[in-house]
Amino acid sequence: MKFCKNLQRIVEISDPAYSPFFVNYRMLKKLIKELPSLVPTEESSSKGSVDAILSDEKRPDSPELFVQQQRGDNTEESKAASRFAAVVADVPNHVPESVEQRKEELGKSPGEIAFFKLLHSEFRKATFFFEKAQQEFVIREERVREGFEIIKQPNSIMVNEKWSLMAKTIFKLYRDLLLIETYAIMAYCAFSKILKKHDKVTGH
């Protein structure tokens, strides 16, 4: 929420022409909240997977094994313990399969598709605006240099007024460069933070 407020504050103090081109961070964040999570809970990652695999196996603490222990059947006890250890050792081999399946389901979910469509749209919008601004600043810089060379000529008239106008032009160019630099920084932070938030929420 803190970054969202900071972004909104930057939008308010920037040039009004920049406003439509800032990243729609609030909407991206809203779409993330609707995505399913791939982060396993303790119950689903440990007990659930072991119980599913051991549904047909004898455990060392099962009633049947307890009866065998009372009879002094150590052979059956060792066999049951071996089976239990072998099955538990195989649990990690089963977990990735379920995770991969959930990843495929997440990739096909409408929420995930909507999120990345909006993300790509915002990225194209930001890059288009920044590249266009760069081209504009190159032209403005060339004009400032040309004007500076004209003023330096000895036959120039109204030199004082022209220097004052040149100073204002340079100051405006400098101010706009700071604004576009701030825009680029905020856009980079917005994309970086929203992708980290997506990975944290979905576990993908």
Side-chain angles (χ1 to χ4, degrees):
M1 181 62 72
K2 185 177 180 181
F3 175 78
C4 197
K5 290 182 178 179
N6 291 338
L7 179 60
Q8 184 61 35
R9 192 178 300 114
I10 294 296
V11 173
E12 292 173 358
I13 66 176
S14 296
D15 191 327
Y18 288 18
S19 299
F21 299 98
F22 276 94
V23 179
N24 194 348
Y25 185 83
R26 191 183 299 274
M27 180 59 69
L28 289 168
K29 187 176 179 181
K30 183 178 179 181
L31 289 176
I32 284 180
K33 292 180 179 179
E34 301 175 359
L35 294 177
S37 177
L38 288 178
V39 180
T41 60
E42 291 184 3
E43 185 176 356
S44 61
S45 61
S46 58
K47 183 179 177 181
S49 56
V50 173
D51 287 348
I53 298 172
L54 297 180
S55 58
D56 297 329
E57 294 287 341
K58 287 185 178 181
R59 304 180 195 177
D61 56 349
S62 64
E64 293 82 1
L65 184 57
F66 177 78
V67 173
Q68 293 172 1
Q69 290 174 348
Q70 296 299 318
R71 295 175 179 174
D73 192 352
N74 295 328
T75 302
E76 290 297 326
E77 178 182 357
S78 60
K79 290 181 179 180
S82 300
R83 286 197 301 270
F84 180 81
V87 173
V88 170
D90 289 338
V91 169
N93 296 329
H94 292 266
V95 174
E97 295 178 1
S98 61
V99 172
E100 289 298 328
Q101 184 178 2
R102 294 173 66 185
K103 283 183 179 180
E104 291 180 4
E105 294 175 357
L106 175 64
K108 297 177 182 178
S109 67
E112 181 82 346
I113 294 173
F115 170 78
F116 277 103
K117 277 187 176 181
L118 179 59
L119 183 69
H120 292 160
S121 175
E122 292 296 308
F123 182 76
R124 288 194 299 269
K125 177 183 72 176
T127 53
F128 169 78
F129 172 73
F130 188 76
E131 290 174 357
K132 185 178 180 181
Q134 279 184 311
Q135 295 173 1
E136 179 183 344
F137 282 119
V138 169
I139 296 173
R140 289 175 62 181
E141 181 187 2
E142 290 178 355
R143 289 178 178 176
V144 169
R145 292 182 182 277
E146 291 174 359
F148 185 75
E149 293 297 329
I150 293 174
I151 292 177
K152 288 196 308 181
Q153 294 178 3
N155 58 350
S156 296
I157 58 175
M158 301 178 64
V159 176
N160 292 334
E161 288 79 2
K162 289 184 177 180
W163 276 114
S164 177
L165 180 61
M166 178 62 66
K168 291 179 181 178
T169 303
I170 293 175
F171 173 76
K172 189 175 186 303
L173 177 61
Y174 173 73
R175 185 196 64 182
D176 292 344
L177 284 171
L178 290 179
L179 289 176
I180 197 65
E181 180 185 26
T182 303
Y183 170 85
I185 293 172
M186 296 305 292
Y188 173 82
C189 291
F191 287 119
S192 176
K193 286 181 176 294
I194 205 65
L195 287 172
K196 287 181 180 178
K197 188 177 292 292
H198 170 272
D199 294 347
K200 181 178 179 181
V201 170
T202 61
H204 189 17

